[in-house]
Amino acid sequence: MNFHEYQSKELFERYAIPVPAGEIARTADEAVEAAKKVGGEMWVVKAQVHAGGRGKAGGVKLANSLEEVRDLAEKMLGMTITTYQTGGRALPVNEVLIAEATDIAAELYLSVLVDRANRCITFMGSAAGGMDIEQVAETEPEKIITVQVNNTAGLMPYQCRQMGFGMGLNALQVRQMTKIMMALYQLFIDLDCSLVEVNPLIIDGEGNLCALDAKINSDDNAMFRHPDLEAMRDDSQEDSVEVEAMKHDLNYVTLEGNIACMVNGAGLAMATMDVIKLNGGEPANFLDVGGTADAERVANAFKLILSSDTVDTILVNIFGGIVRCDLIAEGILQAIRDVGVEVPIVVRLEGNNAKKGLQLLADSGQAVITASDLNDAAAKAIAAAA
């Protein structure tokens, strides 16, 4: 689950991580009142979407008067933003953050993430922070400092000092960096995060560190422990089909191809997409209906698949273990009756009651194409799509 910048900063404040004063606004009038509350004579108006790179897309502007705050808020609210992080989607701007303008002496980068390669939590930092940090990581990787956290001992103060001095900070700033990193680590653990990013972490005009921006990603699988975080979810920033899939407890990810996949088991789903690619096709989605799928669950999965207008064929690949293939077949036929499927369906069934399931499909009178194995299924799906 992703959080807006203002939500992330609220969470930062819980852990005493310094952030600029700011207020959220959903109308131009609220933006003016927010600026008055923040105080000062200059403000930053920041569009709130679940993506970085907002500045280059016109989503971060400086205002020198209350009238300019109003004008910028009116222009941003209701607009859509597309950046390199939105995956081609245009995200709607429903809120703007009015923040105090801060003097910036230097921009740093700091993040915490789950490091799957090293099986630990890792901090990454750089003195070359700001909008082009991705380019820095690609062209000048030596400027990126990494600190791996021991899973038993946790983050140690000497590692924070290693990060601070590696960025060229002075003694006072290194002490501030230590407090920020220790707080970020505790936040990361407490909130079951997968990523926390501060870009930029600035040195302000008085020489102090401050989190000018904030990004938090939390693990969806842990949301049952955090109802307060779940209440922060903004469905408007997410793919509508993925949101609907979540309501039915289906694991669904939208992709860019035209061959829709419905599979039971994440590993088998990944293998199915690989085989489609190897045969020259493009998968339209990742969809795992789970190991205990029934007819209703399969019907719901079909409805999700067919909500996309890019799907030219559907490939069903089921290995029956706990799930019975005849129930899958019933779900396919129910979906055809309920939804009115107008694209070809290719089905490969193996395992528990596979023969019975295939017989149900054969006797249904529906135009369902059956396959003997996964390669055969992929080839038939690609041919049907063409």
Side-chain angles (χ1 to χ4, degrees), residues 294-366:
D294 54 20
E296 181 181 359
R297 192 176 178 83
V298 171
N300 286 329
F302 263 89
K303 292 174 184 177
L304 287 171
I305 287 171
L306 294 170
S307 65
S308 169
D309 56 6
T310 64
V311 171
D312 292 326
T313 189
I314 301 171
L315 171 54
V316 180
N317 183 24
I318 300 295
F319 185 84
I322 298 173
V323 64
R324 287 166 38 192
C325 290
D326 57 318
L327 293 182
I328 297 296
E330 289 175 4
I332 294 170
L333 297 175
Q334 180 181 326
I336 292 173
R337 290 190 295 268
D338 293 349
V339 184
V341 181
E342 297 180 358
V343 297
I345 302 174
V346 178
V347 180
R348 180 249 183 167
L349 301 177
E350 285 289 348
N352 186 3
N353 277 5
K355 289 183 178 179
K356 185 177 179 180
L358 292 170
Q359 191 62 50
L360 283 171
L361 295 175
D363 294 342
S364 68
Q366 301 290 340

Side-chain angles (χ1 to χ4, degrees), residues 143-158:
K143 291 186 177 181
I144 305 295
I145 304 165
T146 60
V147 170
Q148 295 173 4
V149 181
N150 183 281
N151 292 325
T152 302
L155 179 66
M156 304 299 289
Y158 80 87

Side-chain angles (χ1 to χ4, degrees), residues 5 28-30 36 45 51 76 92 116 121 189 202 210 214 221 228 244 247 259 271 277 294 305 322 334 337 351 355:
E5 175 193 356
D29 288 339
E30 287 183 10
K36 291 178 181 177
V45 183
M76 287 186 192
R116 302 185 191 282
I121 292 172
I189 298 296
I202 66 163
C210 180
N221 295 310
D228 58 328
E244 189 64 26
K247 295 176 182 177
I259 299 174
K277 293 280 287 187
D294 54 20
I305 287 171
I322 298 173
Q334 180 181 326
R337 290 190 295 268
K355 289 183 178 179

Side-chain angles (χ1 to χ4, degrees), residues 108-327:
L108 315 175
Y109 174 84
L110 184 64
S111 66
V112 199
L113 66 152
V114 175
D115 185 344
R116 302 185 191 282
N118 293 297
R119 301 179 184 179
C120 66
I121 292 172
T122 292
F123 278 80
M124 298 178 65
S126 176
M131 288 189 292
D132 297 318
I133 187 64
E134 288 84 0
Q135 185 177 350
V136 171
E138 184 176 346
T139 60
E140 301 175 280
E142 70 278 2
K143 291 186 177 181
I144 305 295
I145 304 165
T146 60
V147 170
Q148 295 173 4
V149 181
N150 183 281
N151 292 325
T152 302
L155 179 66
M156 304 299 289
Y158 80 87
Q159 294 179 301
C160 305
R161 293 192 290 273
Q162 175 186 337
M163 178 69 76
F165 285 120
M167 289 185 181
L169 304 181
N170 62 36
L172 172 63
Q173 292 160 354
V174 168
R175 288 196 293 273
Q176 293 177 351
M177 174 66 79
T178 300
K179 290 181 180 179
I180 290 172
M181 287 181 65
M182 296 299 287
L184 285 175
Y185 178 70
Q186 194 60 52
L187 178 151
F188 195 92
I189 298 296
D190 291 348
L191 305 186
D192 291 299
C193 296
S194 54
L195 170 71
V196 177
E197 185 177 60
V198 187
N199 186 33
L201 172 69
I202 66 163
I203 300 174
D204 65 20
E206 297 179 355
N208 297 314
L209 297 184
C210 180
L212 196 64
D213 200 354
K215 178 180 181 181
I216 297 177
N217 295 351
S218 189
D219 187 349
D220 280 331
N221 295 310
M223 282 300 105
F224 70 94
R225 287 200 289 257
H226 307 286
D228 58 328
L229 300 184
E230 180 66 30
M232 295 181 178
R233 183 182 293 275
D234 184 353
D235 290 346
S236 73
Q237 301 293 306
E238 302 180 29
D239 184 283
S240 59
V241 181
E242 294 178 12
V243 171
E244 189 64 26
M246 199 178 303
K247 295 176 182 177
H248 297 286
D249 199 25
L250 294 167
N251 297 308
Y252 185 99
V253 178
T254 300
L255 301 175
E256 297 179 354
N258 65 334
I259 299 174
C261 307
M262 191 184 77
V263 191
N264 66 322
L268 186 58
M270 295 294 290
T272 301
M273 293 190 295
D274 286 345
V275 173
I276 289 173
K277 293 280 287 187
L278 286 170
N279 279 274
E282 292 292 337
N285 64 277
F286 169 98
L287 174 56
D288 171 18
V289 295
T292 58
D294 54 20
E296 181 181 359
R297 192 176 178 83
V298 171
N300 286 329
F302 263 89
K303 292 174 184 177
L304 287 171
I305 287 171
L306 294 170
S307 65
S308 169
D309 56 6
T310 64
V311 171
D312 292 326
T313 189
I314 301 171
L315 171 54
V316 180
N317 183 24
I318 300 295
F319 185 84
I322 298 173
V323 64
R324 287 166 38 192
C325 290
D326 57 318
L327 293 182

